[in-house]
Amino acid sequence: MHMRFRIVSRISYAMAVMAVGFALASPGLHAAERKQVASKKQAASAVAKRTEAKSAQRASRKAAPAKATRMAARSARAPVRAAAAPARLSFGQLAGLHEVSDPLDLKSSVALVIDQDTKEVLLSKNDHAVLPIASLTKLMTGLIISEARLDMNESITITQDDVDTEKGSSSRLRVGATLTRGELLHLALMSSENRAAHALGRTFPGGMDAFVQRMNFKAKVLGMTDTRYVEPTGLSSSNQSSAHDLATLVNVAHADPLLRELSTSPSHEVAVGERVLQYNNTNRLVKSPAWDIGLQKTGYISEAGRCLVMQAEVAGRKLIMVFLDSAGKFSRLADAERVRSWVERLPSGGSALLPSGGRPRS
């Protein structure tokens, strides 16, 4: 019995030792489990990140063509900007008139300066060339209207017929605007208003055809054999003349007080409905104290280049100046300034500067 007791005691002791060992081993076991779980979580997180990155790359690759497609679609919807068209050459440039030189180095391919009283030619360059004259046409338009002695207070309404279909130029005179004939004449001569000039011809007794016939008849009576008109504005390049013919026209027009006053007016306001429109002279020289201008008219279309005719007193001499096909926006005015400075330096009775026609540039 004593032996059985010892056996039982040893078994109990062994079981207690095992229990204590198990208890001591449990914290390490739990830590190992926790480490294993954490490691699994980190691995899962890394896998998730790699998966997310791959998904983003796939989405980016898919989005790139879509984005390109959207950009292409927007580009297709956007207005196409055409390349700037090359500048159209004037008739004078096509004819090589700018190759002719002159001592004043004028930028106009055609020039003529005449003493109005003596008819002496002081300067000439390609003066018999026949070229488009643009809005210099309106000087003849004004002469016809003035000589017809029409009622200048008669109201005239701008219609769709007066809208430019030749060059597509703009105008502040809207269809439906009503002005007097005198106001239309003023704007045509001073500001080169195309709709005003067209309305003057359209409302002439007999209509536009009768007006153009009168223009050409007047040119013939004045001996302007190089001149032809097809309409009253100058927008058509078929309106053509020579420097000598235009000098004749300037001389005759200068004798008309109305044309002198309206063409040299610096500015003018007109009331059109509820609007008041401010117009200025297309020739800024009329405002210059250095100039005494009795009559003037400017003109421009691409076929004609920049044009200018004037009657002006320089150094005590009454001069008629004609400049055609000038290259550059302000070059016709600069040419007039060159001529004025030259004439002021001329001795009394100075002779012509350049033989008619000039000479080719070297």
Short mmCIF file of all heavy atoms in Angstrom, two decimals, residues 62-75:
data_model
loop_
_atom_site.label_atom_id
_atom_site.label_comp_id
_atom_site.label_asym_id
_atom_site.label_seq_id
_atom_site.Cartn_x
_atom_site.Cartn_y
_atom_site.Cartn_z
N LYS A 62 -5.92 51.24 -70.61
CA LYS A 62 -7.24 51.31 -71.26
C LYS A 62 -7.69 52.74 -71.43
O LYS A 62 -8.33 53.11 -72.41
CB LYS A 62 -8.27 50.54 -70.43
CG LYS A 62 -8.07 49.04 -70.45
CD LYS A 62 -9.13 48.35 -69.61
CE LYS A 62 -8.94 46.84 -69.62
NZ LYS A 62 -9.96 46.16 -68.78
N ALA A 63 -7.35 53.61 -70.44
CA ALA A 63 -7.82 55.00 -70.48
C ALA A 63 -7.07 55.80 -71.52
O ALA A 63 -7.60 56.75 -72.08
CB ALA A 63 -7.65 55.65 -69.10
N ALA A 64 -5.80 55.43 -71.76
CA ALA A 64 -4.99 56.23 -72.71
C ALA A 64 -5.62 56.30 -74.09
O ALA A 64 -5.81 57.37 -74.64
CB ALA A 64 -3.57 55.66 -72.77
N PRO A 65 -6.01 55.16 -74.68
CA PRO A 65 -6.68 55.26 -75.99
C PRO A 65 -7.98 56.02 -75.91
O PRO A 65 -8.32 56.78 -76.81
CB PRO A 65 -6.92 53.78 -76.37
CG PRO A 65 -5.93 53.01 -75.56
CD PRO A 65 -5.79 53.76 -74.27
N ALA A 66 -8.70 55.83 -74.78
CA ALA A 66 -9.98 56.55 -74.64
C ALA A 66 -9.74 58.04 -74.58
O ALA A 66 -10.46 58.83 -75.19
CB ALA A 66 -10.70 56.06 -73.37
N LYS A 67 -8.69 58.45 -73.80
CA LYS A 67 -8.36 59.88 -73.71
C LYS A 67 -7.95 60.42 -75.06
O LYS A 67 -8.35 61.52 -75.46
CB LYS A 67 -7.25 60.08 -72.68
CG LYS A 67 -6.89 61.54 -72.46
CD LYS A 67 -5.83 61.67 -71.39
CE LYS A 67 -5.48 63.13 -71.16
NZ LYS A 67 -4.42 63.28 -70.14
N ALA A 68 -7.12 59.64 -75.76
CA ALA A 68 -6.70 60.07 -77.09
C ALA A 68 -7.89 60.21 -78.01
O ALA A 68 -7.98 61.13 -78.83
CB ALA A 68 -5.69 59.06 -77.66
N THR A 69 -8.84 59.25 -77.87
CA THR A 69 -10.05 59.31 -78.70
C THR A 69 -10.84 60.57 -78.40
O THR A 69 -11.33 61.25 -79.30
CB THR A 69 -10.92 58.06 -78.47
OG1 THR A 69 -10.15 56.91 -78.78
CG2 THR A 69 -12.16 58.11 -79.34
N ARG A 70 -10.99 60.87 -77.06
CA ARG A 70 -11.74 62.08 -76.69
C ARG A 70 -11.05 63.34 -77.22
O ARG A 70 -11.69 64.26 -77.70
CB ARG A 70 -11.90 62.15 -75.17
CG ARG A 70 -12.85 61.11 -74.60
CD ARG A 70 -13.22 61.47 -73.16
NE ARG A 70 -12.06 61.50 -72.30
CZ ARG A 70 -11.59 60.44 -71.64
NH1 ARG A 70 -12.18 59.26 -71.78
NH2 ARG A 70 -10.53 60.56 -70.85
N MET A 71 -9.70 63.37 -77.09
CA MET A 71 -8.95 64.54 -77.58
C MET A 71 -9.10 64.67 -79.09
O MET A 71 -9.25 65.77 -79.63
CB MET A 71 -7.47 64.41 -77.21
CG MET A 71 -7.21 64.53 -75.71
SD MET A 71 -5.47 64.34 -75.30
CE MET A 71 -4.80 65.80 -76.09
N ALA A 72 -9.07 63.54 -79.79
CA ALA A 72 -9.24 63.59 -81.24
C ALA A 72 -10.62 64.08 -81.61
O ALA A 72 -10.80 64.85 -82.55
CB ALA A 72 -9.00 62.19 -81.83
N ALA A 73 -11.62 63.64 -80.80
CA ALA A 73 -12.99 64.08 -81.06
C ALA A 73 -13.12 65.58 -80.86
O ALA A 73 -13.74 66.28 -81.65
CB ALA A 73 -13.97 63.33 -80.15
N ARG A 74 -12.51 66.07 -79.73
CA ARG A 74 -12.56 67.52 -79.49
C ARG A 74 -11.84 68.29 -80.59
O ARG A 74 -12.28 69.34 -81.02
CB ARG A 74 -11.95 67.84 -78.13
CG ARG A 74 -12.84 67.49 -76.95
CD ARG A 74 -12.36 68.19 -75.69
NE ARG A 74 -11.04 67.74 -75.29
CZ ARG A 74 -10.83 66.75 -74.43
NH1 ARG A 74 -11.85 66.09 -73.90
NH2 ARG A 74 -9.59 66.41 -74.10
N SER A 75 -10.72 67.74 -81.04
CA SER A 75 -9.97 68.39 -82.11
C SER A 75 -10.78 68.44 -83.39
O SER A 75 -10.74 69.41 -84.13
CB SER A 75 -8.65 67.65 -82.35
OG SER A 75 -7.95 68.22 -83.42
#
